Amino acid sequence: MKNSLKQMMRTPVKTALFLALTVLAALLITLGASVWVKSYTTMAAYEDRFITIGTVRQVPGAFEQTLQWDAEQQSYQLIKKEQFTSYRRAEELDFPGAVYLSGPEVRAYYGSYTPEYVKMWKSMNPDRVRSSFVIVEFSPLEDCVPGESVQIKITKVVGGDKRLADNVVWFCDHKNPEPEALSQDRTYVAALCSYRYIHGTALQKAYEEAGMGEPRIDLEYIPYPLDSEIFYPDGSRAEDAFRDGQEIFELTDGFYESDAGRRLLAMTETMEWGYDIQPVTGTGETCLLMPFYNGDSFIREGRDINREEYEAGSKVCLAPKTFMENNGLTLGDKVTVRLLFTNGRKNAGRDFWLDGSFSCSAAYFDENGEALVPFETSEYTVVGIYDTVAESMDAVSTYTSGSDELIVPLKSIKEREGRNLMDVGPMTDRTASFRIPNGTIEEFQLGFAQSGIDDLEFTFYDMGYSALKAGMDDMRNLSFLLLASGILLAGLLLVFFSHLFITKQAKRTAIERSLGMGSMQCRWSMLSGFLLLVLFGSIIGSLAGIRASADVSAENAGNTYFDTAFTVGAAHAANEVAVEEVQPEGQWLLAVCCATALTAAGGVIAFVKMNKSLKKEPMQLLAEREKE
């Protein structure tokens, strides 16, 4: 070894260059391998935490325009309504190439009539006068035409909060362009619902009485139609003799035996059922519900419904924390469900708000005036209690859970195909969703583009997976480039410098052999210094590569530096997973392996070169050197 090193020191520039290039090659190889391992380890560690879902919206084919009279504006208002030739079904999303982990599903919510339970509205407003909807007998305070807000006195409450009897309220036949005159000395019957603020002469008078101050502005009541709100699955309304018919009736002898009187009594029977309705939502996986996917709703106690229970349609449920507390229920208790109606247009959060208020029907009867009958009764075991946090009322009305909403396996509802259908509509991002494997958004869109369906729009959410995967792919590409560059550089420099330090030292080999040295001694004399330099350079380069890899951050690789909120087809990172860089174990072992591999490669190349010299006779080698 000593002789070998002395020989190499006679060409210090070549030796230094060889050492430097060896260090660089080892650094590139180790850095490339380390970056690849880091990206792979980070991706593998977080793969299962990401969930990719898509929501679906059916695009209307046209818009229907209708005119509706507005008494406050004293003009017709243009009302636009989406038009669909038909509603898409979940089965139509099963196109070739589509791979689903859950769904696709188009959800309805079901109204469960359970007066034995305390709902949020009652718990928050136990003594509140329920004045938003009443069926009353009334008389105007003076002869009038209710084309603007006029005052009436409620003489009798037929249905609703009895405490409203003998109250004077404002009234307007608001949507009727030609309202009938009302006489002070007559009594009328109507279903009334609170609407907007007073207008017309009443409003002007309120301002005059207030002087320079702020006037007290009251709400007015308007007539409520008496027709049924039942739909057919194709979206059409059930035929009803009271549709677009009279809404205000004069009270006469035998009125309640007439068709109008019987319909008002039928409405009286069901009008307060809304206070005892609990929304029930069936799904195939909890993460398909945007409130749970976004993290607005989360399980506080117990567990989620598992896949086996979803597939088997088990009678288990997730129940909201407030509902459980209001009714003294605990985890494992059973909750009775009596499904009264189906709403195929909205999610529960659109009708049942987290402040306890709700927007629900006042007409739970069919087109014949018969009260709806629950079509399915079940008992569900509570396996999880969840809570909901909403940042704004806008969130409450779009993507948050409904108050008192139960989450159950969709397959547990036997009569789930539109029984007592109170509303029906197209797929929306609140009611239609599916789950696909992570990283397959582009493949899904390509397959859908070939399906021939052109009236559906998709929005994808992947918790930031696409951005992270793109960053990891960039890191892998970088690692392959570094690794390939290092291997190429190592191969070239080993071949070249082995030629300089071994092949071109054939004269020395010939002399040593002539002096009686054996083959092994010649090999050791020639190769030891070369391999020592390769080993030394490999160790330094490998350690430097490991150190440099620590500055290549997998955490920053997933960052997106531009806004994709309005990018068509972009995956949105709702409830983004916080990715922390994973430092793989055995980084120093990787350095050892790289240094060992590089040294071994150098040894093999040098050994082959040395053998070529040893196969020639010493005199032949000396002769070749003389010719050179």
Side-chain angles (χ1 to χ4, degrees), residues 1-12 15 500-501 504-505 508 525-526:
M1 180 184 293
K2 185 177 180 181
N3 292 334
S4 179
L5 291 175
K6 283 182 178 180
Q7 180 67 35
M8 298 182 76
M9 289 300 104
R10 290 172 185 165
T11 55
T15 302
L500 291 179
F501 292 136
K504 297 195 72 172
Q505 298 298 319
R508 174 187 162 191
S525 174
M526 190 64 68

Side-chain angles (χ1 to χ4, degrees), residues 482-526:
L482 293 172
L483 192 59
S485 300
I487 293 174
L488 180 61
L489 176 61
L492 292 175
L493 75 91
L494 288 174
V495 171
F496 178 71
F497 280 97
S498 66
H499 175 72
L500 291 179
F501 292 136
I502 297 173
T503 305
K504 297 195 72 172
Q505 298 298 319
K507 183 176 180 180
R508 174 187 162 191
T509 302
I511 293 171
E512 289 178 342
R513 291 176 65 187
S514 299
L515 294 174
M517 292 180 65
S519 297
M520 290 303 297
Q521 289 176 314
C522 288
R523 288 191 181 95
W524 175 252
S525 174
M526 190 64 68

Side-chain angles (χ1 to χ4, degrees), residues 94-162:
D94 191 18
F95 52 85
V99 178
Y100 298 104
L101 299 181
S102 294
E105 64 181 30
V106 182
R107 293 179 299 276
Y109 86 79
Y110 305 89
S112 172
Y113 179 62
T114 49
E116 63 267 37
Y117 295 128
V118 177
K119 310 304 188 301
M120 186 180 289
W121 192 92
K122 287 187 177 180
S123 68
M124 298 180 70
N125 309 283
D127 299 318
R128 179 179 174 181
V129 177
R130 299 191 294 274
S131 58
S132 60
F133 184 79
V134 287
I135 299 173
V136 298
E137 298 175 1
F138 68 91
S139 296
L141 296 189
E142 58 185 11
D143 293 347
C144 61
V145 176
E148 62 179 18
S149 301
V150 298
Q151 287 187 305
I152 61 172
K153 182 177 182 179
I154 298 175
T155 57
K156 180 181 178 180
V157 176
V158 180
D161 200 316
K162 303 297 183 182

Side-chain angles (χ1 to χ4, degrees), residues 87 230-240 367 418 421 423-424:
Y87 296 134
I230 294 296
F231 283 78
Y232 296 129
D234 64 358
S236 61
R237 297 284 295 272
E239 295 182 4
D240 193 315
E367 62 272 29
L421 193 58
D423 206 348
V424 62

